[in-house]
Amino acid sequence: MKTIRNFLIDFVIFGAFLLAAEPHITGDTMHEWLGLGFFVTAMAHLLLHWGWVTNSVKKFFKKMPALTRINSIVDLSIFVAFTVITITGVMMSKAVLPTLGISVSGGGSWKQIHSLASEISIFLVAAHFALHWSWIVGVFKKYVGNPVKSMFHKQPELAVVPVNIEKEN
């Protein structure tokens, strides 16, 4: 159950990321709310994997497989990028903060930092996907592919076959 929960949360995070990454599609107001919701779900993801985080930090400067070290660096970079995106987004907010009764005076450099961190995050998320691809495919096959496949798998048909039984005299 933990695996499917993680998969669903990751799916929601990825969907929100894709929508929030395209403000010209969603509009600024939806972009801000999606971005904030995305950050909250990303933090939930981080908390769900907190054991891995603390374990990776403890082992980072010790002997560790190269792939695990790369994954740790990519994940930390994603966290930094998402935090920068969220902070700069909040500083430029024209919808979320006013709705909450908060006003900030944002300068022009917030947008540049926000855009740069957003562009970098796309590459980092792609790297994260690549590092976890076998897990993604495996979970998808197990919880989506196999059940769908079994729905269309033709079951053998049972047939009644008459049998002649001759009595011996």
Side-chain angles (χ1 to χ4, degrees), residues 129-140:
F129 248 76
L131 289 166
H132 296 282
W133 187 248
S134 61
W135 180 83
I136 293 166
V137 170
V139 172
F140 188 83

Side-chain angles (χ1 to χ4, degrees), residues 2-143:
K2 182 178 171 185
T3 301
I4 193 70
R5 178 198 67 198
N6 287 341
F7 185 78
L8 290 173
I9 289 172
D10 292 352
F11 184 78
V12 169
I13 290 171
F14 185 63
F17 173 77
L18 291 178
L19 285 173
E22 297 296 333
H24 63 279
I25 292 174
T26 61
D28 289 339
T29 301
M30 185 60 78
H31 171 75
E32 286 186 33
W33 284 106
L34 277 171
L36 198 56
F38 166 75
F39 188 73
V40 169
T41 55
M43 291 305 102
H45 174 87
L46 181 68
L47 291 173
L48 287 171
H49 295 87
W50 193 250
W52 181 87
V53 171
T54 57
N55 192 37
S56 293
V57 169
K58 287 177 189 174
K59 293 181 178 179
F60 190 79
F61 295 105
K62 295 178 183 175
K63 191 172 183 173
M64 159 187 271
L67 204 53
T68 305
R69 189 178 307 278
I70 291 168
N71 188 48
S72 298
I73 292 168
V74 167
D75 287 354
L76 175 63
S77 300
I78 288 173
F79 173 75
V80 170
F82 288 168
T83 302
V84 169
I85 292 166
T86 303
I87 291 170
T88 56
V90 165
M91 294 307 293
M92 299 183 307
S93 176
K94 294 178 184 160
V96 172
L97 291 185
T99 299
L100 301 173
I102 302 169
S103 64
V104 293
S105 57
S109 55
W110 292 120
K111 183 166 180 58
Q112 292 172 324
I113 297 168
H114 186 77
S115 295
L116 179 62
S118 297
E119 290 172 18
I120 291 170
S121 74
I122 291 169
F123 292 103
L124 292 170
V125 168
H128 182 80
F129 248 76
L131 289 166
H132 296 282
W133 187 248
S134 61
W135 180 83
I136 293 166
V137 170
V139 172
F140 188 83
K141 279 183 182 177
K142 181 177 181 179
Y143 293 103

